[in-house]
Amino acid sequence: MADVVQYKLERMVNELDDLERRGLFSRREIAEIVKQRRKFEYRLKRPSPLKQDYLAYIDYEKSVDALRVLRKKAVMRELKKKSEDVKGVVKKPKMKHSVSDFSGISRIVEIYRSATNRFKGDIQLWFQYLEFCRQRRNGHMKKNLNVAAARALMQSGLRSCPSSEALWVEYLRMELTYLNKLSARRVALGEDVGTLVPDHHDPEDKQWREENKELFMPIDGETGDYKDLDEQNKELTQKIDFFREQGLNILQTVYKCAVEALPSSFSLRTQFLEILEATNLANSENMQKEILSDMKNEFSKETGFWDWLAKYEAAGRKSTQDVKKEIMPDQLFNAIQVYDEALKIVPSSSMFDLYIKFLRDTIDRNRHTQNSKLSDSSDNYIDPVSHVLMVYEKAQKMGCITEDLGCQHVSFLLELGRLDDARNLAEKLCSGELSEAVRLWFLRLSIEIKRIGTPSKADLSFLALPRPGLAFYKNCIEMELNLASSAGAKTHLVEARKLYEAALSTYDQDASLWQDYHSMESKMGTSETAAAVHWRARKTLKGNTVL
């Protein structure tokens, strides 16, 4: 191990001599650098080096190289001052590149390579490596980190970490970016073949080209032997199609490999769709249909897929959705068709919940836009408010109603100002499949209070129903205590005591109920009433040590 470390240090001699010769580091500083590098090299040669050993070595080398760059700039400034001649004319100083300009970066790359070979499955480490290579793309690194090297590096990462979505997505971006640069290079050379990004030509540029057509004609003025403009455009179109087809082939190949590696990843497919939408590839619509069909086959039993697909349709078949933009009638119609299809395949309360949430979000979104009354002129126009009510009723008919959906339905009717309809629905649900839904009972109580203003004994007689649940009693007590705290009225405290007594008549062996009753009397009653409750609790619970 010592021989290997010594050999590596000896290979650094030319670099260190160059640093001293150029005046960037003193002999004492160089000795310290050698000492630190020896320490790090010994750490890496241990039987089981840690990831932190590699990262610490990399950080140290980065700091040394950053200091070298700063001192080199300072030396250049000094040379610039000294190079002024008598007349004040400045001659630009030159400092040729030497071994020390490249050795530090090469060493960091080598440490990264060793680290990724040992920790092949560490995604974060791979991305740190790639980010460093991206940042150092100029100078010597530019010669080494060409597209072939970048491709090899990404493929190595994918072989080590095939289950990384981020690596697959970034690999596709790299390939398409390179192809787009080739296309852009043709543009720069005057061949104007376009790029893989969507076309957004400047109108002023088009006008300038029309006004200066002669600049693009043959210089000898003889046009008979040259192809006309239409033929030239055909050639350019063929060149554009070549790059677009190549881009599509790349996307298809990477997509196929990525899906084989991650067959159950839904987000991977959505990210590929986003990339497809952002590029101008040949036959992109067919590829889009293929990805969507693949997603439907794999995830048709998942509610999240249907929710995403409906929102995708609502956004005009775009993955990136603007939450502030109004949904047009045709787009809303398509989204509703998706949700209706989903209910046939995944008839569940969670699917209904997503469906209703989308419709209510649509109502809120269109309510705040200027053109919310566009409208009804469309053949596919659907009123989202009436449709929400229809979906709530459909959930009840299909047996997918839950306490949460029932409360939502009642609350939505209240928002529309339909108090009687909300009351009737709450009564129906509380008497039927949601008879044990505490929140719904509490909501029904609040509706009754709103409807009649000041409740009478006859109006509240439903509290005498046989054996209400303990949670129901506690909710009623909480409401009375809140009113007593805010209004300070003793009548609410009296009502709370009545509710406690009614609850204890059925649940007298519940220690927590006695504790709550005693706590209320201690805070809002008197010491006598609190002591009386405590005595009754000890007598009823007997040997219970809780009190």
Side-chain angles (χ1 to χ4, degrees):
M1 182 170 69
D3 293 340
V4 175
V5 172
Q6 185 62 29
Y7 171 72
K8 285 196 170 186
L9 292 175
E10 289 176 357
R11 292 180 59 189
M12 304 175 190
V13 171
N14 292 336
E15 171 201 353
L16 298 173
D17 287 343
D18 187 56
L19 291 173
E20 183 181 8
R21 183 172 60 254
R22 304 175 85 181
L24 301 179
F25 288 91
S26 65
R27 181 173 291 273
R28 184 176 180 181
E29 289 174 325
I30 289 174
E32 180 62 25
I33 291 173
V34 172
K35 178 181 176 182
Q36 292 296 327
R37 287 178 176 173
R38 178 181 286 109
K39 181 181 68 174
F40 284 119
E41 290 291 344
Y42 271 111
R43 285 185 183 178
L44 299 187
K45 294 304 176 185
R46 292 185 299 181
S48 299
L50 304 175
K51 173 185 171 183
Q52 189 56 39
D53 295 335
Y54 289 96
L55 295 179
Y57 197 179
I58 289 169
D59 290 339
Y60 175 75
E61 289 296 336
K62 285 181 178 179
S63 63
V64 170
D65 192 65
L67 182 59
R68 178 193 65 79
V69 172
L70 289 175
R71 290 186 175 179
K72 182 179 178 181
K73 290 180 179 179
V75 171
M76 293 289 289
R77 285 195 297 269
E78 291 296 325
L79 291 175
K80 185 177 180 180
K81 291 179 182 179
K82 294 179 180 179
S83 62
E84 292 185 7
D85 58 17
V86 180
K87 296 181 180 180
V89 178
V90 179
K91 296 180 180 178
K92 188 175 180 180
K94 293 184 179 179
M95 181 178 281
K96 294 182 180 180
H97 291 297
S98 61
V99 63
S100 62
D101 292 316
F102 313 123
S103 298
I105 304 298
S106 299
R107 184 174 298 103
I108 295 173
V109 170
E110 185 61 33
I111 299 171
Y112 267 123
R113 285 178 180 170
S114 300
T116 51
N117 284 335
R118 177 166 287 276
F119 303 99
K120 294 181 179 180
D122 194 313
I123 304 296
Q124 184 181 5
L125 184 61
W126 276 102
F127 274 107
Q128 288 181 14
Y129 184 13
L130 293 171
E131 179 62 17
F132 175 78
C133 295
R134 186 189 66 80
Q135 291 176 349
R136 301 304 178 102
R137 60 187 180 275
N138 296 321
H140 185 69
M141 292 300 295
K142 186 174 182 181
K143 296 179 182 178
N144 292 330
L145 292 177
N146 52 24
V147 67
R151 183 180 293 115
L153 182 61
M154 292 293 288
Q155 291 175 351
S156 176
L158 288 171
R159 284 192 294 270
S160 301
C161 314
S163 60
S164 170
E165 289 184 19
L167 271 180
W168 282 110
V169 172
E170 291 305 317
Y171 178 55
L172 176 61
R173 290 187 196 279
M174 183 205 72
E175 292 286 4
L176 292 180
T177 299
Y178 171 65
L179 191 63
N180 190 56
K181 285 184 177 181
L182 288 181
S183 179
R185 183 170 178 266
R186 301 288 293 271
V187 175
L189 293 174
E191 298 183 11
D192 201 6
V193 297
T195 60
L196 299 181
V197 296
D199 187 18
H200 300 290
H201 285 306
D202 187 353
E204 295 182 0
D205 179 64
K206 289 183 178 180
Q207 182 180 355
W208 181 87
R209 285 175 175 268
E210 289 294 329
E211 294 174 352
N212 298 273
K213 288 182 179 179
E214 65 277 3
L215 296 179
F216 301 95
M217 301 298 291
I219 58 174
D220 56 4
E222 297 179 2
T223 59
D225 296 333
Y226 291 87
K227 297 178 181 179
D228 59 21
L229 188 59
D230 291 336
E231 293 178 350
Q232 294 178 17
N233 287 337
K234 289 180 181 178
E235 290 184 0
L236 294 177
T237 302
Q238 292 175 355
K239 295 175 183 177
I240 295 172
D241 290 340
F242 170 76
F243 284 103
R244 294 174 63 209
E245 289 172 3
Q246 285 293 101
L248 181 66
N249 291 336
I250 291 171
L251 190 143
Q252 288 175 327
T253 303
V254 178
Y255 173 75
K256 181 181 178 181
C257 296
V259 169
E260 288 178 356
L262 295 164
S264 60
S265 175
F266 175 71
S267 60
L268 176 70
R269 293 164 170 84
T270 60
Q271 291 181 78
F272 271 67
L273 264 182
E274 291 177 9
I275 295 174
L276 181 61
E277 293 166 7
T279 52
N280 186 23
L281 303 180
N283 300 318
S284 59
E285 292 184 0
N286 293 336
M287 186 64 194
Q288 183 185 46
K289 291 178 182 178
E290 180 184 338
I291 296 176
L292 289 174
S293 176
D294 177 39
M295 294 170 71
K296 192 171 184 178
N297 291 334
E298 291 292 331
F299 307 105
S300 60
K301 297 297 182 181
E302 298 184 15
T303 57
F305 161 71
W306 291 105
D307 186 50
W308 174 88
L309 183 60
K311 292 176 180 177
Y312 178 77
E313 293 288 349
R317 299 183 72 83
K318 293 181 180 178
S319 299
T320 53
Q321 301 165 9
D322 185 357
V323 295
K324 296 182 180 179
K325 187 177 179 181
E326 181 183 10
I327 298 177
M328 303 307 292
D330 291 338
Q331 296 171 353
L332 178 61
F333 178 80
N334 294 336
I336 286 175
Q337 282 191 320
V338 172
Y339 278 117
D340 289 340
E341 182 184 357
L343 290 177
K344 296 176 182 178
I345 299 175
V346 194
S348 62
S349 57
S350 59
M351 193 69 252
F352 274 104
D353 188 54
L354 293 170
Y355 192 175
I356 292 168
K357 185 177 185 304
F358 166 77
L359 290 171
R360 299 193 65 171
D361 288 344
T362 301
I363 295 170
D364 293 338
R365 182 188 300 187
N366 290 0
R367 184 182 298 159
H368 294 94
T369 55
Q370 296 179 353
N371 300 323
S372 58
K373 294 190 177 179
L374 273 180
S375 88
D376 333 7
S377 57
S378 173
D379 295 336
N380 296 327
Y381 177 76
I382 296 177
D383 178 26
V385 174
S386 60
H387 200 74
V388 168
L389 295 173
M390 186 273 290
V391 175
Y392 277 126
E393 293 171 1
K394 190 173 183 179
Q396 190 175 352
K397 290 178 182 178
M398 293 179 64
C400 296
I401 194 72
T402 61
E403 180 179 2
D404 188 51
L405 285 174
C407 291
Q408 286 183 37
H409 192 179
V410 174
S411 299
F412 188 63
L413 289 172
L414 291 174
E415 290 177 19
L416 297 177
R418 296 166 58 174
L419 183 61
D420 290 337
D421 291 339
R423 178 174 179 260
N424 293 335
L425 176 63
E427 182 179 0
K428 178 182 177 182
L429 293 175
C430 288
S431 303
E433 56 265 55
L434 299 178
S435 58
E436 298 182 0
V438 176
R439 287 170 52 207
L440 192 60
W441 276 98
F442 189 71
L443 185 58
R444 183 184 172 191
L445 175 62
S446 66
I447 292 173
E448 294 293 338
I449 294 174
K450 283 182 181 180
R451 189 180 69 86
I452 62 180
T454 304
S456 63
K457 292 183 179 179
D459 291 318
L460 295 177
S461 60
F462 64 89
L463 285 177
L465 290 171
R467 301 181 66 84
L470 180 59
F472 175 73
Y473 276 117
K474 288 186 175 182
N475 276 294
C476 294
I477 292 168
E478 182 181 0
M479 183 183 70
E480 293 292 346
L481 292 178
N482 289 335
L483 292 173
S485 300
S486 59
K490 292 184 178 180
T491 55
H492 297 295
L493 181 60
V494 173
E495 295 298 328
R497 285 173 177 153
K498 289 180 180 180
L499 289 168
Y500 269 119
E501 294 297 335
L504 288 170
S505 65
T506 305
Y507 304 101
D508 61 338
Q509 296 301 313
D510 191 289
S512 64
L513 185 62
W514 282 105
Q515 286 178 321
D516 293 342
Y517 193 6
H518 180 264
S519 176
M520 182 196 75
E521 292 293 353
S522 299
K523 294 177 181 178
M524 306 179 71
T526 63
S527 57
E528 290 81 3
T529 56
V533 171
H534 187 266
W535 180 82
R536 288 174 57 198
R538 289 178 62 86
K539 182 179 179 181
T540 304
L541 298 175
K542 295 180 180 179
N544 196 315
T545 59
V546 175
L547 295 175

